[in-house]
Structure formats: structure tokens, C-alpha cells
Amino acid sequence: MKDKSVTNLSTDSITSNFIRSIIDNDKRTGKWLGRVETRFPPEPNGYLHIGHAKSICLNFGLANDYKGVCHLRFDDTNPEKEAQEYVDAICENVAWLGFDWGKHLHYSSDYFDKLYAFAEHLINHGKAYVDSLNADEIREQRGTLTSPGKNSPYRERAVAESLDLFQRMRAGEFSDGAHVLRVKIDMASPNINMRDPVIYRIRHVHHQRTGDKWSIYPMYDYTHCVSDALENITHSLCTLEFEDHRPLYDWVLDQLQGIVPCHPQQIEFARLNLTYTVMSKRKLIELVEGGNVEGWDDPRLSTLAGVRRRGYTPKSIRLFADRIGVSKADSWIDVSVLEDCLREDLNECAPRRIAVLRPLKVIIDNYPDDQQEDCQAPNHPQKPEWGKRVAPFSKVLYIERDDFMEQPSKGYFRLSPGAEVRLRYAFIIKCVQVEKSTDGEIEAIHCTYDPDTKSGTAGAAKRKVKGNIHWLSAKHALQVEARLYDRLFADAYPDAGSKNYRESLNPDSKETIIAYVEQSLSEAEPEQRFQFERIGYFVADRIDSQSGKPVFNRAVTLRDSWEKVVDSKGQSKG
Ligand code: ATP
Ligand code: MG
């Protein structure tokens, strides 16, 4: 799946797919008079995840490309599990991804009156009946994949009796579960979804939008197709598990022909499966409530709130959706594809800064105690127009601990006793002495610098050394909290088979450290992203950063450090 050949970040370039072919064909035949109207229909019972982003980018993307419209519709027919908090978060996520539903913000609950009237229509036409079996009895009589179901004894109930019962269900006369409304299709159908499915059940619960008006609520399969039709949707895109529900979708709309404005076409596509991730709402809730992560927006989660906080850009996610494409075949995408999309975007747009995560003190013995001077560091190596910033140089510096080795291994070109390296944007230094504590820990190293080798001067060009490391002037550096995030799961397929996904949690998915960064980063705005040179891409945390006191989250390392791990296990890379 990893397509290294795609380097163009533009998400305008259109990759064709089978859904586009259907739409193109409809345009040719004039089926919808050229209209393209799609919808993204989340249930407000949890936070959106990266899988939903695939569906959002697809639905809104098609509407944009074909100059159509895309609706945001909350499928809110299960009041027990739904909440306004989720509605708000979903709206925020979709807008963050860069999509606009305009005036098309809808709720299935807006259609409760119509859905009810259509249900009466079905009863009146002998297409629906009130069943008084309980849920267990209905399940028992449903049959199996290999044996047909049985007709309910209430199936031939008189129309007038069903109508009366249904009206009294609505009026709240019965307790939960006393009756249901079922459509009358075929109890022997090889497709279990067609065996007289329930379309209304009694639930005496408060609804976040309709209050206590209803004590019966319509089921998803009935609500969804009718809502699509009422909104004049042309192409109703959903994931493959709904393929077996399509005959029911079509059956309901066929019964309502002439009553609802149109009969949209349901088209199924493969859902996104991402390695090292779990995506079902149930599992996400368990991780949040079980304290395995620090909330819905934990930067290690695959929720959109989480990836946003991690430092992902809307553009990188749109690029990802574009790159993985849409098809009918279920497949796994390696999470490195997503990470690469972020690297590509941030490589372009993130200014460069210096940070030292694990400091080692370097003392320049031949540099005067109270002297300091300016070095010039470019803000982006390929964008001279972004200018340069000052990196102050002084006698005491910090470098990364792993840029020094007392006994260098073969091929190690960074600092070691007697060796020389270039301090990026500054001078060549040579290690002359190692200072240790009584228990043998390296506390500092002493170096000399060559004043004739300053970067950007003629002298610099005359001397070449292999190593080139970053550094900060100790007295100018700013201490900040940095969180080094890694994948939440150590296993590529945490919820495969019968294993419990929690056993695959990566114990090292978060490390909090105190790092040193350039002074200028005290001004970093929440959500501003940077490349810390030679280390990775970081974002100023949008929640915990305070004015003058940013907290940095590592969004992604500069290269995929997991590639080896996956390959050595012989697992597919998607
Ligand atoms: P989950 O199964 O992860 O709990 P859901 O399917 O119950 O999520 P909905 O609110 O019903 O969540 O989903 C809204 C839309 O997003 C649906 O059209 C659904 O098909 C789509 N969707 C959900 N998960 C994915 C996924 N992994 N890949 C692509 N589309 C998805
Ligand atoms: Mg669902």
C-alpha cells in the first residue's frame, strides 16, 4: 500500500475509483439530472476516529469534486447511548478536517414525525404489523443461516388492530418490549435481514433533541434509508457490512415510492483497518474509561481529537484518505502510511528549530568565559525566503547524549575522545577530555573549538569533518516539558482473532521528559508545529501549553523506526 512514488501533496489530484465511475455514468445517463448529494451519517454515541475520516473525506470530497453537496446527519435513534457532547465533538472534527456542510446539518430525529406517518402507511398497506412476541421469542423464530424463520402468530393480525396498537405504542400505553412494529417481507428469505425485521420498538427514554415526546423509536435500517430519501441523497455510501442490508434499504423505499422524494443508491466500500490501532467505538471507550489513556483526545488514540492533539494536520489526513483510495476489498493499511503523510506535510510547512532531548554538557575550554556570538540558522533548508534566526553560541553548550561515545563503534562519526565534529551552523570542535562523577557517569565533556571554521565563512569550506550535530547554548536554552509518544500498541494487529487487545498495549507509548529548546520557542502558539532538527516533528500541545510555557508533543519521528520491527516478525506491511 505504501506508495513512495506519490510526492505531490496536493489532494486536488483526483484518483478514480469505482464510486466515481458510478457517478460519472449517472452523469452521462442523466439519472440524477447531474446532481451529486452525499451524506456523512455518524451516530452521536462516541468520538470519531481515523476510520470515520476515510468516510468523511470520501463523502465530502465527492461532493466538492462534483460541485454537489454533502450533508452532516446525526443518526440519533438510540437515545440511551447518545449525547450532545458527541454531537459537538463530531461537528468540530468535521470542520477541522476542512469540510463544510453549509445549511445541511440534519438529524434523523428531525424526521420522527414523518417516519411515524410512513410506518402507518406501511401498516395500512399490509406491509407492517405489530408483533406482541417478546425479543427472545422473535430471535428464536428468526431461523438461522441454514434454516428458514417461522411466521409470528401475530403476522396476520388485522390492519385495524395493528394500527390501533401502534398508535397506543406511540401514546405510551405499553411498557418497553411489550410490542414491536415489524415489516412483512419473507420469513424464509435466505437473507436474514429480510425476515420481517423490527422497525419500531418501545423505549420510554428521554431523547437529547425530542425530549419526552416519543416513547417509540425507529430502528436504524428503517430510519437510514428514509432519511436519505427525505434529504434527496443521490449516492448513499456506507461500509461493506451493510451490503446484506441493501435489499432491505431498497425494499422500504420501494414501498414508499411516490411518497418520499427519491430512491438513493446505496453503495458499499471497504472500511479502513489500520495496523497498531483499534478503532471500534466500544474499544475506544474501554481504553478511555479503563485509564489506559488520558481521555478521548489522548495523542496516542486513533480518535480525530487524539490525532489532532498529536500534531496531525487536516491536510495530512486528507492526503492519507486520498492515498489509500476506496475499493470493495477489505484490506489493512500500515500505520506508517499515515505517519508518512504527516512527515510529507510537515516537511513542507514546519519551521526548523533546535531541541536537545537528553542533554550532555559540553565546555569549550578555549572560548572566553563571558563571550557570546550569533550563529545563523535557516528556518527551512529548502526555503531561503523563510529567513534565518539567531542561534547564540557560548562557552557551555548542550548536545544530545547519544551524539557522544566514549568508545566509538565502527562507523560512528559523531563526537568521541580526540575526534572532531561540526556543530551545525557554528564551529568545528574537538573533544579533549571527559569529566566523570565518582561513580563513573559522564558529567561533561571538554572540547576546543577552531575559531576559523565558523559556518558561512571562507574558513568553514576549507575543513571537512564527517559528523554534524546540533547543540544549544546552555545559558540561552529554555527548559520545556516534552512528551515522546509512540504507538499505543506493540502488536500490528492488536484485536485480531481471540486475543485481548489490551495485552498488546505498548508500555513505552508515552515518555515525559524535560528537554531544552531554543529560547524563541517560548512564543510557540498552541498547535504550532516544528521540526526539531535531527529528532522529529513536534507540536505545542493545544491543551496544556501556556503563554511563554509551551509543552511539546512528539507527533512523529523523522523516519519510521518500526519498519525493522515489523519486518523481522515477517508481518505484512499492508
Ligand atoms: P465503529 O464501528 O468504529 O464503532 P460505527 O460504524 O458504529 O463505528 P457510525 O457513527 O455508525 O460509527 O459511522 C458513521 C459512518 O462512518 C458510517 O457511514 C460508517 O460506515 C463510517 N465508518 C465507520 N468506521 C469506518 C471505517 N473504519 N472506515 C471507513 N468508514 C467508516
Ligand atoms: Mg455503525
Side-chain angles (χ1 to χ4, degrees):
M1 255 345 273
K2 204 165 181 172
D3 187 355
K4 293 281 193 196
S5 66
V6 185
T7 47
N8 181 3
L9 252 194
S10 156
T11 46
D12 304 337
S13 61
I14 293 168
T15 329
S16 196
N17 59 49
F18 75 100
I19 300 178
R20 287 179 181 278
S21 306
I22 293 172
I23 296 177
D24 289 338
N25 197 49
D26 289 346
K27 288 226 162 203
R28 261 192 304 278
T29 61
K31 178 173 174 190
W32 297 104
L33 303 172
R35 218 160 47 79
V36 174
E37 208 146 334
T38 56
R39 84 287 169 272
F40 172 64
E43 183 179 355
N45 63 349
Y47 280 70
L48 296 184
H49 52 62
I50 194 86
H52 292 116
K54 173 176 179 174
S55 178
I56 295 168
C57 292
L58 176 64
N59 280 294
F60 280 92
L62 287 169
N64 283 345
D65 293 342
Y66 286 94
K67 309 225 174 335
V69 288
C70 180
H71 306 196
L72 175 58
R73 182 202 313 141
F74 289 99
D75 168 36
D76 55 349
T77 54
N78 265 314
E80 291 108 318
K81 293 189 179 159
E82 297 162 5
Q84 187 62 36
E85 176 198 353
Y86 299 130
V87 170
D88 296 340
I90 290 170
C91 288
E92 188 182 334
N93 287 160
V94 175
W96 176 71
L97 279 176
F99 297 112
D100 181 8
W101 52 85
K103 58 183 190 213
H104 293 286
L105 178 61
H106 304 297
Y107 297 84
S108 296
S109 55
D110 292 343
Y111 312 128
F112 281 173
D113 283 316
K114 286 189 169 143
L115 285 157
Y116 177 84
F118 298 155
E120 285 201 345
H121 173 88
L122 293 175
I123 297 172
N124 281 324
H125 287 75
K127 298 293 181 183
Y129 59 98
V130 169
D131 197 347
S132 307
L133 295 180
N134 65 36
D136 289 336
E137 291 163 332
I138 290 178
R139 201 173 310 119
E140 270 162 36
Q141 300 207 346
R142 233 180 149 202
T144 64
L145 287 174
T146 49
S147 61
K150 283 205 212 64
N151 285 354
S152 163
Y154 300 100
R155 196 173 199 261
E156 299 310 328
R157 198 166 228 167
V159 165
E161 189 185 344
S162 275
L163 198 57
D164 173 61
L165 285 169
F166 188 51
Q167 287 165 353
R168 288 163 58 198
M169 283 164 66
R170 177 187 187 167
E173 281 188 32
F174 307 113
S175 55
D176 288 8
H179 306 281
V180 290
L181 184 70
R182 299 177 73 175
V183 283
K184 195 186 274 189
I185 310 179
D186 177 8
M187 288 306 291
S189 171
N191 182 343
I192 292 186
N193 296 301
M194 298 297 272
R195 294 183 188 168
D196 291 11
V198 172
I199 62 165
Y200 264 95
R201 69 250 192 271
I202 303 172
R203 283 276 184 287
H204 289 271
V205 286
H206 185 86
H207 186 284
Q208 68 271 18
R209 298 191 76 247
T210 58
D212 296 315
K213 176 172 174 190
W214 295 91
S215 48
I216 54 173
Y217 290 98
M219 303 292 283
Y220 173 84
D221 277 327
Y222 174 63
T223 311
H224 194 74
C225 55
V226 172
S227 305
D228 278 350
L230 289 173
E231 289 178 19
N232 261 302
I233 298 301
T234 56
H235 303 85
S236 176
L237 314 179
C238 61
T239 37
L240 282 176
E241 67 272 21
F242 290 101
E243 198 162 16
D244 291 343
H245 297 238
R246 180 167 14 105
L248 178 56
Y249 184 104
D250 289 332
W251 184 91
V252 170
L253 294 184
D254 284 344
Q255 310 315 308
L256 299 175
Q257 197 183 353
I259 298 179
V260 292
C262 72
H263 185 145
Q265 179 180 4
Q266 174 177 312
I267 304 169
E268 308 86 19
F269 64 94
R271 65 198 289 113
L272 169 66
N273 298 305
L274 202 59
T275 60
Y276 295 97
T277 306
V278 296
M279 274 196 292
S280 96
K281 282 180 194 156
R282 179 179 63 77
K283 289 171 189 163
L284 292 171
I285 288 178
E286 284 172 6
L287 288 168
V288 172
E289 290 183 348
N292 299 102
V293 294
E294 296 163 28
W296 284 108
D297 63 353
D298 187 296
R300 292 164 293 179
L301 280 184
S302 59
T303 53
L304 291 180
V307 298
R308 175 175 183 181
R309 213 172 153 190
R310 177 74 171 257
Y312 274 82
T313 57
K315 190 171 177 181
S316 65
I317 292 172
R318 295 197 304 266
L319 175 66
F320 173 70
D322 211 42
R323 193 162 287 178
I324 61 176
V326 255
S327 78
K328 276 266 187 200
D330 252 321
S331 68
W332 283 80
I333 305 292
D334 195 85
V335 70
S336 62
V337 178
L338 177 65
E339 293 166 346
D340 277 345
C341 289
L342 181 62
R343 289 187 184 102
E344 267 183 59
D345 187 18
L346 293 184
N347 181 41
E348 280 293 308
C349 69
R352 276 41 175 179
R353 292 291 181 266
I354 308 274
V356 174
L357 301 187
R358 304 184 202 273
L360 173 62
K361 193 186 269 183
V362 171
I363 299 153
I364 311 291
D365 289 342
N366 60 339
Y367 198 82
D369 281 357
D370 47 8
Q371 187 173 313
Q372 70 174 60
E373 67 193 273
D374 291 347
C375 298
Q376 301 291 322
N379 289 321
H380 193 292
Q382 281 91 43
K383 296 180 195 282
E385 68 279 13
W386 284 19
K388 292 185 175 189
R389 65 198 191 280
V390 167
F393 187 86
S394 67
K395 186 177 179 80
V396 183
L397 311 173
Y398 292 127
I399 64 168
E400 295 288 349
R401 279 200 167 258
D402 62 6
D403 281 336
F404 176 79
M405 268 181 107
E406 202 174 9
Q407 266 121 27
S409 52
K410 194 166 177 287
Y412 185 86
F413 297 116
R414 290 167 276 164
L415 208 53
S416 58
E420 286 188 328
V421 288
R422 169 165 294 285
L423 294 177
R424 197 171 256 206
Y425 317 126
F427 303 95
I428 290 175
I429 59 169
K430 179 176 185 170
C431 173
V432 294
Q433 191 202 332
V434 180
E435 198 179 305
K436 292 186 179 175
S437 65
T438 46
D439 54 4
E441 282 282 309
I442 298 175
E443 289 196 319
I445 56 176
H446 289 261
C447 295
T448 54
Y449 88 116
D450 181 344
D452 294 330
T453 57
K454 190 168 184 179
S455 293
T457 65
K462 291 197 192 118
R463 287 273 306 280
K464 286 269 179 281
V465 288
K466 280 196 170 156
N468 190 331
I469 66 175
H470 65 275
W471 54 276
L472 286 169
S473 161
K475 71 176 171 201
H476 297 94
L478 178 74
Q479 277 197 345
V480 293
E481 179 180 326
R483 295 149 180 180
L484 308 182
Y485 289 110
D486 203 342
R487 295 177 185 173
L488 184 58
F489 293 97
D491 189 320
Y493 306 98
D495 49 7
S498 57
K499 79 182 164 221
N500 184 339
Y501 66 96
R502 284 161 187 265
E503 287 165 22
S504 310
L505 281 164
N506 172 11
D508 303 318
S509 59
K510 178 183 180 184
E511 184 188 2
T512 304
I513 60 169
I514 299 297
Y516 288 98
V517 298
E518 291 179 30
Q519 189 74 51
S520 68
L521 285 170
S522 70
E523 309 289 319
E525 296 287 331
E527 285 209 289
Q528 218 183 335
R529 301 168 183 91
F530 301 93
Q531 184 196 94
F532 289 169
E533 294 187 25
R534 300 180 63 231
I535 298 176
Y537 294 100
F538 283 71
V539 64
D541 189 86
R542 58 190 291 256
I543 308 293
D544 297 330
S545 294
Q546 286 164 20
S547 171
K549 213 168 175 291
V551 171
F552 288 102
N553 298 337
R554 181 170 71 198
V556 69
T557 51
L558 288 185
R559 269 168 295 280
D560 180 6
S561 54
W562 285 70
E563 205 144 6
K564 292 189 296 296
V565 183
V566 181
D567 288 345
S568 70
K569 282 190 191 159
Q571 279 164 339
S572 134
K573 295 261 308 167

